[in-house]
Amino acid sequence: MQRKYWTVIFLLFLSLTSQQVRGQMGDKMVPHLGFMYEIVDLKDPIQNDLSRVFYTFSLGTYYTLGHKNDVVSVGVDPSVNFGFNLVSNVTGSETGLNLVVQVPVFLMGRFGANATKYNQQKFGVGAGIGGVYTFFREGIVKQRSSAINPSAVAEITFMSGGGPLTIRAHVSLFNPTATLTFPSGSVDFNEFRTIGFGLIYGL
């Protein structure tokens, strides 16, 4: 009987602790969703350059690591961008699905709007550095490639009637080598570059 009593107390303690942890995490998170225009370039002095454009849906959150009076903050911002488009070959006889998945993760500083969940200022700015993992696949020719780019991000936020609206842009700081793979073989490129910009809506 005593053992059951302590088991009940332990379970209640775990329940209360988990609720407190969830509450603290919720206070530190500034979730967002939006749309990004992503450019992926593969470049090589010998091979023909390959450039692709994707329109992506973005979902992520800014997690505050520290702040000063909800006005200035430092945090980490992970996101997932997913996009696709339908393309046809020259004759129009075949249609394929082009797919891109990106995972940007940035260590950021913010000032003003969106610095924390509780900031009420009308205007804000942010900047940071991190990395962007990109994978894309082309449906018709069935070729694919991926790379991780060290990148920088900058943003401007305006408070609107529906909540914070952020204009965001990121650019790769270093362009690694990459391999473009297709059914009959592969091609190596000297540079894999990513650039993106779009609109992010705070939730």
Side-chain angles (χ1 to χ4, degrees):
M1 184 71 179
Q2 187 176 9
R3 189 173 182 179
K4 291 183 179 179
Y5 173 77
W6 285 110
T7 300
V8 171
I9 291 178
F10 179 69
L11 292 175
L12 286 173
F13 174 77
L14 285 181
S15 176
L16 292 173
T17 303
S18 63
Q19 290 177 6
Q20 183 178 8
V21 170
R22 287 196 299 268
Q24 291 175 348
M25 290 184 64
D27 288 341
K28 294 182 178 181
M29 290 170 52
V30 186
H32 55 75
L33 60 82
F35 301 93
M36 299 291 293
Y37 178 84
E38 300 288 349
I39 302 171
V40 179
D41 286 331
L42 278 73
K43 295 184 176 296
D44 190 275
I46 300 176
Q47 306 292 337
N48 292 328
D49 294 347
L50 180 73
S51 182
R52 294 293 182 266
V53 172
F54 297 95
Y55 300 90
T56 69
F57 172 78
S58 176
L59 179 64
T61 188
Y62 176 75
Y63 186 84
T64 306
L65 299 176
H67 69 89
K68 180 69 173 178
N69 299 326
D70 291 314
V71 176
V72 180
S73 69
V74 176
V76 60
D77 192 310
S79 303
V80 175
N81 302 340
F82 175 78
F84 63 90
N85 53 51
L86 293 173
V87 293
S88 301
N89 59 10
V90 177
T91 62
S93 60
E94 186 178 1
T95 301
L97 181 70
N98 287 358
L99 174 71
V100 66
V101 177
Q102 287 188 316
V103 183
V105 180
F106 296 107
L107 178 64
M108 298 186 62
R110 282 181 170 176
F111 174 81
N114 254 5
T116 72
K117 179 179 180 179
Y118 302 103
N119 186 284
Q120 299 296 318
Q121 292 174 271
K122 300 297 184 182
F123 176 78
V125 294
I129 58 172
V132 178
Y133 169 77
T134 302
F135 168 84
F136 74 89
R137 180 184 183 278
E138 299 190 305
I140 293 180
V141 292
K142 295 179 173 60
Q143 60 186 16
R144 62 188 185 276
S145 186
S146 64
I148 298 177
N149 293 83
S151 303
V153 62
E155 59 183 29
I156 300 174
T157 299
F158 304 91
M159 291 298 293
S160 63
L165 175 63
T166 300
I167 301 172
R168 170 178 285 191
H170 70 83
V171 60
S172 54
L173 300 174
F174 173 73
N175 304 320
T177 60
T179 300
L180 184 68
T181 304
F182 42 92
S184 60
S186 63
V187 177
D188 293 328
F189 287 82
N190 284 352
E191 294 185 5
F192 188 110
R193 181 179 65 173
T194 60
I195 301 173
F197 55 92
L199 293 176
I200 302 296
Y201 305 91
L203 298 177

